[in-house]
């Protein structure tokens, strides 16, 4: 199928003429004769497709290289035709939106569910000089989304004077690279501290007070209780969102993260006189109600948790006000990220970022920050049990699962299957770019081609079906698992009737447990667990199956005699399923053996 460019002129209702141009994966703005701006949608047409004639407006389609044909039709008809043919979304100018239905979630981008195959740039990558070292890594990863900071100190180095030149360059380059953006607002909090706040903020302790511990020590974390801090941060964030409103009409930015890993290290909360006064007062009614508690002071209501809950509420309210003010300019979806605490055991809040949205205070944050669409875990725990437990804690009917940061080492990559199997919206390893930094021991020792490919293999597999997966995940039933540390097979219950066992380390013939020749070698290159599988239900007895270095074996939950009646291997091409061949015989006798090749299967189960 050839890609096509759609160009043309739309006769607007008011008589103005609107030239349009829409390229695949790119949205072009247009200005009509009256000076109004708009956005033409993504449109990829089959050059051999018949394009209907709707009269009054002229629109031509042409092959990317050369004009091949002309066909007049209205803009809407053209876009509808493009959508029908390609499955591409029809509403390019729609604001991205986080939606929920029956406890499942989707990030709508251009009006349709979007799967973020993301990567987060290193912290100091937020300069035009660094961007050329970022895009090649994004490309090598096959990522569709880049998460990158916008620092308060860089947009408002002098109070009241804003500079968005970096943002503009970033937007342009993201469009040129056909990559969506998640902007990380490094403001009052960046990993507990105000390092990324301008000097006029972070050096003025009087105007912007820091947290004081119970012992009277000052911590390098700004207190959430001072209106001056809130107003200054809010003003800058609002300016950013206002700028985006005009600088990004096509919504290259799909998500915004106000602040970064909020909370305070080495202090549970602020004990300044201002904070003490608030702490001695009543717990706000909204929180009391949300948690089903009886009214009282913080200590009365929350006992031993009072200090941490007070800090979480106070930071949550602060962030909510920043986000709400930003949304009044441009209501993009917004999330916060969490520096985690131990997912299983009690941990003293002194030893993690207290007041940040750790799992034990999610309900507090939910009540405090209704303008925040999702709370997301930053995962730097290597054990699969910890990762899965964390995902379970953050995947809730009232909270969309999204992993905005995960370690960059190979062992983390398999968890994309755990995330997507829990209806996750996206996944993003941290610090994969060529700016010369790597975050071992949390992540990889070096960022080289192999490091990138450890994640790239999965994005290459999922990229062509990303929209379909996101839709299936939002509308229906999906399952998935990454290879666990014990390398053991796992059986997933696919509703009442069917099961799927995902196993690892199998060759394509026979079984490792009962080898034909009495003995069989271990698969090479399996030192680090890297397998995983995904399954989506298409109809009661039909499933989409994909994965990497895993065997998927269907079973009957009720012990029925069954078979895989048809196993189609195919691929998605601009939203359309393209049949490639049937798997049968050796390809199905020992389960469905997914290799390092990008394999996608449609499996029909039947009884006999
Ligand atoms: C988590 C933070 O959110 C990131 O900005 C970065 O500092 C990473 N930690 C480093 O691992």
């Amino acid at each position: 199928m050839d890609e096509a460019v759609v160009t043309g002129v739309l006769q607007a209702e008011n008589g103005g003429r609107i030239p349009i141009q829409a390229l695949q994966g790119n949205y072009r703005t247009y200005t009509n004769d009256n000076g109004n701006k708009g956005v033409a949608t993504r449109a990829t047409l089959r050059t051999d497709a018949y394009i209907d004639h709707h009269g009054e407006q002229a629109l031509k389609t042409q092959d990317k290289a050369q004009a091949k044909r002309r066909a007049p039709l209205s803009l809407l008809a053209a876009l509808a035709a493009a959508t029908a043919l390609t499955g591409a979304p029809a509403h390019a100018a729609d604001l991205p939106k986080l939606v929920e239905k029956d406890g499942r979630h989707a990030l709508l981008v251009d009006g349709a569910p979007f799967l973020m195959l993301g990567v987060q740039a290193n912290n100091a990558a937020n300069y035009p000089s660094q961007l050329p070292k970022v895009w090649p890594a994004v490309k090598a990863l096959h990522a569709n989304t880049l998460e990158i900071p916008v620092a308060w100190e860089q947009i408002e180095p002098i109070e009241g004077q804003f500079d968005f030149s970096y943002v503009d360059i970033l937007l342009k380059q993201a469009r040129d690279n056909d990559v969506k953006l998640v902007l990380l607002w490094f403001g009052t909090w960046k990993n507990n501290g105000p390092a990324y706040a301008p000097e006029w903020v972070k050096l003025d302790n009087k105007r912007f007070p820091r947290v004081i511990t119970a012992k009277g020590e000052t911590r390098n974390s700004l207190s959430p209780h001072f209106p001056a801090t809130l107003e200054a941060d809010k003003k800058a964030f609002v300016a950013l969102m206002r700028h985006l409103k005009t600088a990004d009409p096509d919504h290259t930015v799909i998500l915004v993260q106000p602040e970064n890993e909020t909370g305070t290290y080495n202090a549970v909360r602020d004990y300044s006189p201002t904070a003490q006064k608030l702490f001695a007062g009543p717990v706000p009614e909204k929180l009391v109600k949300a948690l089903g508690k009886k009214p009282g002071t913080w200590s009365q209501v929350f006992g031993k948790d009072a200090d941490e809950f007070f800090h979480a509420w106070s930071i949550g309210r602060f962030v909510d006000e920043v986000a709400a003010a930003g949304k009044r300019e441009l209501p993009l979806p917004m999330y916060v990220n969490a520096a985690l605490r131990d997912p299983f055991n009690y941990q003293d809040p002194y030893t993690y970022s207290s007041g940040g949205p750790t799992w034990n205070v999610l309900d507090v944050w939910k009540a405090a920050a209704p303008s925040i669409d999702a709370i997301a875990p930053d995962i730097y725990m290597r054990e699969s049990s910890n990762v899965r437990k964390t995902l379970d804690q953050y995947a809730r009917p009232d909270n969309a699962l999204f992993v905005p940061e995960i370690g960059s080492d190979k062992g983390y990559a398999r968890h994309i299957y755990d995330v997507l199997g829990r209806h996750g919206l996206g996944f993003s390893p941290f610090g994969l770019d060529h700016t010369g930094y790597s975050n071992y021991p949390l992540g990889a020792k070096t960022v080289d081609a192999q490091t990138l490919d450890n994640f790239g293999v999965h994005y290459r597999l999922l990229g062509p079906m990303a929209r379909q997966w996101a839709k299936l995940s939002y509308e229906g039933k999906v399952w998935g698992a990454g290879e666990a540390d014990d390398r053991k097979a796992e059986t997933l219950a696919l509703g009442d009737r069917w099961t799927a066992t995902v196993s690892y380390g199998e060759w394509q013939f026979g079984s490792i447990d009962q080898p034909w020749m009495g003995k069989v070698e271990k698969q090479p290159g399996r030192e680090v667990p890297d397998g995983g599988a995904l399954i989506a239900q298409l109809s009661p007895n039909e499933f989409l199956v994909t994965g990497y270095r895993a065997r998927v074996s269907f079973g009957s939950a009720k012990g029925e005699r069954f078979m895989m009646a048809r196993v189609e291997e195919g691929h998605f091409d601009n939203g359309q399923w393209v049949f490639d061949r049937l798997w049968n015989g050796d390809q199905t006798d020992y389960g469905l053996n997914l290799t390092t090749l990008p394999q996608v299967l449609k499996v029909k189960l039947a009884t006999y």
Side-chain angles (χ1 to χ4, degrees):
M1 188 173 94
D2 293 314
E3 289 175 0
V5 178
V6 180
T7 57
V9 177
L10 173 72
Q11 189 78 40
E13 272 175 16
N14 64 6
R17 285 165 63 80
I18 304 173
I20 63 159
Q21 183 183 56
L23 287 172
Q24 184 195 16
N26 212 342
Y27 302 88
R28 294 298 152 108
T29 53
Y30 58 78
T31 309
N32 69 13
D33 287 354
N34 303 325
N36 296 327
K37 285 192 176 356
V39 182
T41 193
R42 175 193 301 251
T44 303
L45 302 180
R46 290 168 198 269
T47 49
D48 59 353
Y50 171 65
I51 296 171
D52 204 356
H53 178 196
H54 281 256
E56 67 285 4
Q57 285 94 23
L59 192 108
K60 66 183 187 225
T61 64
Q62 56 186 183
D63 181 90
K64 215 171 189 176
Q66 291 294 325
K68 277 191 178 164
R69 55 158 62 221
R70 280 160 189 267
L73 78 172
S74 71
L75 172 60
L76 285 179
L79 300 181
T83 301
L85 289 168
T86 66
H91 311 288
D94 281 358
L95 262 176
K97 199 173 165 191
L98 228 152
V99 290
E100 182 269 338
K101 187 173 66 181
D102 302 331
R104 294 186 302 269
H105 307 266
L107 174 66
L108 303 185
V109 173
D110 309 327
F114 181 82
L115 172 63
M116 277 177 280
L117 301 173
V119 56
Q120 185 162 146
N122 273 299
N123 279 178
N126 56 320
Y127 289 88
S129 65
Q130 300 307 297
L131 293 178
K133 301 171 191 170
V134 172
W135 301 117
V138 176
K139 194 163 183 212
L141 280 161
H142 302 270
N144 60 20
T145 305
L146 171 68
E147 300 172 4
I148 191 160
V150 175
W152 187 359
E153 66 182 351
Q154 81 184 130
I155 66 157
E156 196 186 8
I158 299 169
E159 188 168 6
Q161 292 183 22
F162 291 96
D163 174 359
F164 293 110
S165 51
Y166 153 67
V167 175
D168 291 341
I169 290 169
L170 175 65
L171 287 170
K172 181 185 180 312
Q173 293 190 11
R175 285 181 202 121
D176 290 347
N177 284 280
D178 194 14
V179 167
K180 300 290 183 196
L181 291 173
V182 175
L183 297 187
L184 315 173
W185 172 240
F186 284 7
T188 298
W189 286 276
K190 162 46 176 114
N191 302 17
N192 124 106
Y196 279 82
E199 288 191 18
W200 58 268
V201 173
K202 63 188 173 192
L203 301 182
D204 191 344
N205 224 16
K206 208 154 170 236
R207 187 172 162 205
F208 307 109
R210 287 174 158 76
V211 164
I212 311 285
T213 68
K215 287 185 190 157
E217 292 163 351
T218 301
R219 295 286 181 252
N220 188 20
S221 182
L222 296 186
S223 168
H225 304 298
F226 293 88
T229 315
L230 173 60
E231 290 312 313
D233 186 321
K234 199 165 47 173
K235 198 171 149 207
F237 186 69
V238 162
L240 171 64
M241 297 306 291
R242 188 177 299 144
H243 182 76
L244 281 184
K245 190 159 72 180
T246 49
D248 188 28
D250 50 356
H251 309 308
T252 297
V253 178
I254 56 173
L255 203 55
V256 177
Q257 179 197 289
E259 315 299 340
N260 189 83
E261 291 197 348
T262 55
T264 302
Y265 288 113
N266 300 312
V268 184
R269 67 170 173 91
D270 185 15
Y271 283 80
S272 66
T274 304
Q276 287 300 82
K277 209 168 150 202
L278 290 167
F279 186 74
V283 176
E285 199 189 326
K286 200 173 150 200
L287 182 59
V288 170
K289 270 199 178 154
L291 301 192
K293 299 279 187 187
K294 284 198 191 111
T297 65
W298 287 88
S299 298
Q300 286 164 348
V301 177
F302 295 116
K304 65 175 179 35
D305 293 323
D307 294 326
E308 185 182 5
F309 280 33
F310 172 71
H311 204 37
W313 169 263
S314 308
I315 297 177
R317 288 296 311 129
F318 184 118
V319 175
D320 189 65
E321 281 210 39
V322 172
K327 281 186 169 187
R328 283 194 285 276
E329 293 296 327
L330 181 64
L332 284 175
M334 298 193 185
Y335 75 97
V336 291
N337 61 335
L340 303 179
R341 86 202 284 256
D342 188 311
F344 288 101
N345 305 304
Y346 172 78
Q347 200 182 332
D348 182 349
Y350 235 84
T351 63
Y352 57 86
S353 196
S354 174
T358 47
W359 64 263
N360 55 322
V361 294
L362 285 180
D363 291 335
V364 176
W365 263 83
K366 283 283 169 194
S371 305
I372 293 299
D373 299 279
I375 301 177
D378 288 352
I379 301 183
Y380 294 92
M381 294 175 295
R382 289 178 182 270
E383 308 76 18
S384 57
S385 54
N386 279 338
V387 174
R388 286 178 174 198
K389 181 72 181 171
T390 299
L391 299 180
D392 289 339
Q393 285 162 340
Y394 284 81
R396 313 188 337 173
D398 67 348
N399 193 59
L401 179 64
F402 166 47
V403 177
E405 292 183 37
I406 192 163
S408 54
D409 223 352
K410 183 176 183 179
Y412 291 102
R414 61 192 154 138
H415 295 304
I416 189 170
Y417 299 100
D418 293 304
V419 172
L420 299 193
R422 287 167 176 75
H423 296 262
L425 307 181
F427 184 82
S428 177
F430 174 80
L432 288 180
D433 58 36
H434 300 298
T435 59
Y437 224 78
S438 53
N439 74 335
Y440 181 82
L442 298 180
K445 284 186 181 136
T446 51
V447 179
D448 56 21
Q450 184 56 57
T451 316
L452 297 174
D453 207 45
N454 291 336
F455 291 85
V457 289
H458 306 297
Y459 285 9
R460 206 160 40 228
L461 169 71
L462 297 169
M465 58 184 280
R467 286 282 190 177
Q468 286 64 43
W469 179 268
K471 190 166 182 284
L472 288 165
S473 173
Y474 181 47
E475 289 175 356
K477 294 186 176 152
V478 300
W479 299 266
E483 187 173 0
D485 292 351
D486 64 11
R487 315 296 188 92
K488 286 200 178 134
E490 288 184 79
T491 298
L492 310 172
L494 314 178
D496 298 343
R497 194 170 184 197
W498 305 109
T499 65
T501 299
V502 186
S503 52
Y504 306 94
E506 295 280 10
W507 295 94
Q508 289 174 292
F509 262 67
S511 134
I512 279 243
D513 294 336
Q514 293 162 310
W516 281 340
M517 316 294 283
K519 202 171 158 207
V520 69
E521 283 175 28
K522 282 197 165 174
Q523 270 194 1
R526 308 209 72 260
E527 298 73 26
V528 178
D530 62 357
L534 290 175
I535 301 171
Q537 189 154 27
L538 301 174
S539 66
N541 302 320
E542 202 189 1
F543 297 90
L544 189 77
V545 178
T546 192
Y548 184 81
R549 301 189 91 188
R551 171 180 289 184
V552 176
S553 309
F554 281 96
S556 161
K558 297 178 179 160
E560 291 177 287
R561 244 190 344 262
F562 82 99
M563 65 185 300
M564 289 188 284
R566 183 178 172 88
V567 179
E568 277 187 27
E569 181 182 5
H571 63 275
F572 286 95
D573 188 352
N574 281 305
Q576 302 295 319
W577 175 253
V578 180
F579 168 89
D580 290 326
R581 62 168 171 163
L582 288 184
W583 279 21
N584 214 333
D586 291 342
Q587 278 67 41
T588 56
D589 287 348
Y590 315 103
L592 304 171
N593 291 294
L594 301 161
T595 67
T596 57
L597 297 171
Q599 292 156 323
V600 189
L601 307 172
K602 262 190 192 178
V603 180
K604 192 168 132 199
L605 303 175
T607 50
Y608 59 91

